[in-house]
Amino acid sequence: MKNLRKAVFPVAGWGTRFLPATKASPKEMIPLVDKPVIQYAVEEAASSGIETMIFVTGRGKRAIEDHFDSSPELELFLKEKGKDLELEEIKKISSLARCIFVRQREALGLGHAVLCAREAVGDESFAVLLGDDVVDAQVPVLAQMMEVWNRYQKPVIGLMEVPQHLIPRYGIAAGEEREPGVFKITQMVEKPAVEEAPSNLAIVGRYILTPDIFEKIEESGRGALGEIQLTDALVAAMKDQGVYGIVFKGRYLDCGTKIGWIKSQIYAALKHPEMAEEIREYLKEMVDSWR
Ligand code: G1P
């Protein structure tokens, strides 16, 4: 097995889908129960064997750097107060992996954000994880994708089926199913209208890319929404060397929209050992009160 060592986290976006909450705070730091959403993606990468996390950040995103850094004052405080569990949690975050931060000076799109990580990535294959997309899975989605990548040695994207009305919110891909749930991609379109979509398979925020993607991003102009789109560079990679997609196993939690986030909170709280029971009772009480 060839190992992927590096993962890129584009975290410079404005978070417009979450305004006004994201006016002065990074959307990646919005919590899902008790952890910021970005931590789930970083943990997924770490548990899939990634050693170096490359964050593509921008202005107003310092909280992300602080979150993954060690915090000696807080650690000392917790130690003195005998809050051992909290201390352990806090220390675990900064020991997850080696972090590198690069800046995206202008928010020109996801493709452009990935391009900003070029030097830090170097000449090797790498993963891209979007913090908005959290997946509760027995085997981390990135690890599921690595398995396909090892077999085909081509870029791999994470896929899931979406209902029609959500098609325009995603990149949509279609292809030939080579084995159950694994597709050789033949079409990809960023945020198509429902009638133009080649399928209902959405690209979720998980990618394994080969380093030639950087040139392809440079060559692709502005696409959907006037932005430099990663999907457009992937179309070039598909024509050139081929791209695979895997319909991953796991529960997708959309933490990038208000409604998706509320649903994700409920889902995650119902799975949280200390909260599940009380939340279940509360929900029941709410439902009963509508009758
Ligand atoms: C990005 C990608 C899109 C993908 C989506 C998954 O869009 O451009 O192809 O389907 O992430 O969340 P964004 O959410 O940045 O608009």
Side-chain angles (χ1 to χ4, degrees), residues 274-290:
E274 284 157 34
M275 290 179 205
E277 210 182 309
E278 209 174 322
I279 296 294
R280 204 174 307 123
E281 271 168 31
Y282 176 71
L283 289 175
K284 207 169 151 296
E285 191 190 312
M286 290 282 105
V287 172
D288 288 345
S289 72
W290 302 328

Side-chain angles (χ1 to χ4, degrees), residues 17 110 130 133 169-171 190-191 203 205 207 229 231:
R17 286 195 288 250
L110 179 58
L130 308 186
D133 298 332
R169 138 113 173 79
Y170 293 99
E190 182 63 24
K191 299 189 174 43
I203 307 172
Y207 308 82
Q229 296 288 357
T231 304

